[in-house]
Amino acid sequence: MQNLYVSPIGTVHANDNSMFIEVDERYIKALQALDGFSHINVIWWFSDFDGDEMRNILETAQPYKKAPAVMGVFATRSPIRPNPLALSTVQVVQIDYKKGFVHIAYIDANDGTPVLDIKPYTPSLDRVEAPGVPEWCRHWPMSVEESGSFDWQNEFNF
């Protein structure tokens, strides 16, 4: 197997006043022509949950209240997984091309989280009109917009 490596292209900044992705200076040129996309897909590292022990946990006891008693981590959005990668679709508020700041409405990542990649959200490739989901999570919102007002705290067992 060839030697694989991944390097962050930026960092999430999240505080009470704003949320943005600071793109490393050497990658600012890669932001060209991103304007006009209302949303982006952000691939980020669950850096707070990385370690040999956590990478070897492959199943978990019922993380969601209505879920099966035991679930494999690939059936969850858990940060504990063989490769602690995350994918979030976020709304772009503004892009500062000089500083390399992509201001966003919200991301479920902590301040200081490494960002591995940014891809434009395009409905032709990213949207599924009628996705199928298991019965235990069918009551969850069907869009990012609806998720903002959903009572997520009532869904988890942690």
Side-chain angles (χ1 to χ4, degrees):
M1 182 176 208
Q2 104 186 50
N3 188 11
L4 302 175
Y5 71 94
V6 176
S7 299
I9 57 99
T11 306
V12 170
H13 294 277
N15 58 50
D16 293 338
N17 300 323
S18 67
M19 288 192 163
F20 64 95
I21 298 165
E22 180 179 8
V23 174
D24 188 287
E25 186 177 342
R26 65 182 173 213
Y27 299 116
I28 291 175
K29 287 182 179 180
L31 294 172
Q32 291 180 63
L34 195 58
D35 52 311
F37 288 100
S38 66
H39 291 76
I40 55 175
N41 288 317
V42 180
I43 300 169
W44 50 278
W45 197 261
F46 276 120
S47 54
D48 295 340
F49 296 91
D50 195 2
D52 289 339
E53 182 181 335
M54 287 181 265
R55 285 177 174 240
N56 286 298
I57 296 172
L58 302 179
E59 58 185 22
T60 184
Q62 190 179 41
Y64 312 108
K65 291 182 179 175
K66 297 182 180 182
V70 176
M71 295 179 69
V73 295
F74 295 154
T76 75
R77 306 277 300 194
S78 171
I80 299 169
R81 46 200 329 105
N83 290 306
L85 296 173
L87 171 66
S88 296
T89 301
V90 301
Q91 181 182 2
V92 176
V93 175
Q94 176 190 1
I95 302 172
D96 182 332
Y97 290 97
K98 289 192 187 328
K99 292 182 180 178
F101 292 178
V102 180
H103 295 271
I104 55 179
Y106 176 78
I107 189 166
D108 54 338
N110 295 330
D111 186 56
T113 296
V115 173
L116 302 179
D117 202 359
I118 294 171
K119 297 178 185 293
Y121 175 90
T122 54
S124 58
L125 298 173
D126 299 317
R127 182 172 182 262
V128 177
E129 289 199 31
V133 295
E135 180 65 37
W136 60 265
C137 65
R138 279 203 190 120
H139 64 286
W140 288 3
M142 293 298 285
S143 70
V144 170
E145 292 81 5
E146 291 176 11
S147 291
S149 61
F150 187 72
D151 183 11
W152 285 106
Q153 295 294 33
N154 195 37
E155 297 300 311
F156 302 113
N157 283 329
F158 48 88

